[in-house]
Amino acid sequence: MSNTIISVKNLVKKYGDFEAVKSISFDVHEGEIFGLLGPNGAGKSTTLEIIETLRTKTSGTITVAGFDLDTQANEIKKIIGVQLQSSGFYPGLNLIELINLFSGLYNEDVNAMELLDKVNLRDKAKAKVKELSGGQKQRFSIATTLINNPKIIFLDEPTTGLDPQARRNLWELIQDIRKGGTTVILTTHYMDEAELLCDRVAIIDQGKIIAIETPDNLVDNLVASGFERPKEVKKANLEDVFISLTGRTIRED
Ligand code: ADP
């Protein structure tokens, strides 16, 4: 049996009269990569930001690593890592200086070079965020989630807008972080990404969870229901062609 690290029960979020999250319940297991999938406006960010203690909820109960969100939000903040948007970084500081600044804010003693190594950005230590490529920016923002050595990290669309090599690179990084024992919750619009990375996914639509399962079981259930693709699937797709022609090497560095 896997241990529950996040438990969400009957979570409701109203913005005025509009109910954006309609009494959803789910658990996240310790050490898993858990995906929140759903169309724009489904309530994914709202749900994540409530768990991250960044937004208030209307009702429901949430516990994170045994801490109650209502009474122990400060304890929760200490053990989670939340991805900042790159626009939130002080533009005048380089990567090392930013990490040192955040470590100071978290009251953590972090070896900035080691952390940059982990996300393959040692060469960019003296660069400013605006000088990084899209993939590098994402890797840096993931590095900042790790500063407080969190038990759980939250990644909101970590690979949106990246080229195929940079996406694969990010997937490896996320898998490495999980191998180190960190639980990962992410949102994505890429189904191939969810299938490859996530142990389980919750599909949210119009504020409700309509499925929660392993990607494999979801696909098997659909096939068992008699679903067939209209035409036979080719053994490769255009992305495979792209990667095969241009290679897996990262071009951004
Ligand atoms: P997702 O992340 O799945 O795209 P969101 O959680 O951002 O969805 O939004 C869910 C719904 O709540 C959307 O209809 C959105 O317009 C609405 N919403 C989000 N934030 C606010 C807000 N601060 N005030 C009013 N409505 C909001």
Side-chain angles (χ1 to χ4, degrees):
M1 264 300 279
S2 31
N3 289 331
T4 297
I5 193 158
I6 296 177
S7 165
V8 175
K9 289 206 170 69
N10 306 320
L11 176 66
V12 173
K13 175 66 181 180
K14 286 187 186 162
Y15 295 112
D17 288 341
F18 174 67
E19 207 174 42
V21 176
K22 301 187 176 94
S23 192
I24 63 171
S25 301
F26 63 94
D27 288 342
V28 177
H29 305 155
E30 194 165 4
E32 77 177 338
I33 302 181
F34 186 85
L36 275 184
L37 314 181
N40 285 332
K44 303 179 296 295
S45 303
T46 299
T47 303
L48 281 194
E49 287 176 13
I50 291 170
I51 303 171
E52 292 164 1
T53 77
L54 299 176
R55 244 181 240 230
T56 57
K57 60 186 165 58
T58 304
S59 60
T61 51
I62 294 177
T63 55
V64 179
F67 297 116
D68 183 335
L69 184 87
D70 290 332
T71 55
Q72 295 169 298
N74 281 335
E75 298 306 315
I76 294 177
K77 281 181 199 157
K78 285 183 202 155
I79 54 140
I80 64 171
V82 176
Q83 209 180 359
L84 299 169
Q85 295 307 312
S86 54
S87 54
F89 297 130
Y90 294 95
L93 302 183
N94 67 33
L95 303 193
I96 289 271
E97 290 163 342
L98 282 168
I99 290 176
N100 289 335
L101 172 72
F102 291 130
S103 327
L105 294 176
Y106 277 119
N107 215 1
E108 293 275 342
D109 194 12
V110 170
N111 183 327
M113 260 319 187
E114 253 173 42
L115 186 58
L116 287 177
D117 248 350
K118 205 183 245 183
V119 296
N120 205 8
L121 284 175
R122 174 177 276 268
D123 299 351
K124 298 285 173 185
K126 295 277 169 61
K128 312 249 163 68
V129 171
K130 66 167 186 279
E131 293 157 1
L132 303 180
S133 71
Q136 291 166 342
K137 277 192 187 119
Q138 280 295 350
R139 294 210 301 277
F140 181 66
S141 100
I142 290 179
T144 64
T145 70
L146 300 174
I147 285 174
N148 59 335
N149 213 2
K151 283 185 195 243
I152 310 166
I153 60 168
F154 294 81
L155 307 176
D156 204 353
E157 298 188 25
T159 68
T160 294
L162 301 185
D163 69 57
Q165 281 97 350
R167 287 179 74 212
R168 280 167 164 70
N169 193 246
L170 251 281
W171 295 343
E172 276 170 26
L173 174 60
I174 293 168
Q175 281 164 330
D176 278 353
I177 291 171
R178 186 267 286 281
K179 263 187 220 137
T182 308
T183 305
V184 180
I185 305 188
L186 56 85
T187 64
T188 180
H189 287 295
Y190 300 117
M191 294 305 125
D192 58 337
E193 175 164 302
E195 209 166 345
L196 184 123
L197 276 184
C198 297
D199 298 300
R200 290 186 310 135
V201 298
I203 301 180
I204 307 192
D205 193 20
Q206 296 180 4
K208 288 189 182 150
I209 293 186
I210 51 177
I212 181 160
E213 252 303 351
T214 65
D216 234 17
N217 285 348
L218 285 173
V219 173
D220 287 349
N221 293 346
L222 180 66
V223 172
S225 76
F227 176 88
E228 274 182 49
R229 283 219 173 137
K231 68 174 187 186
E232 203 197 325
V233 188
K234 290 188 188 169
K235 292 207 168 76
N237 61 21
L238 187 58
E239 178 153 323
D240 296 323
V241 174
F242 180 89
I243 289 290
S244 155
L245 291 176
T246 62
R248 287 179 156 268
T249 348
I250 306 154
R251 300 300 168 76
E252 59 191 2
D253 294 301

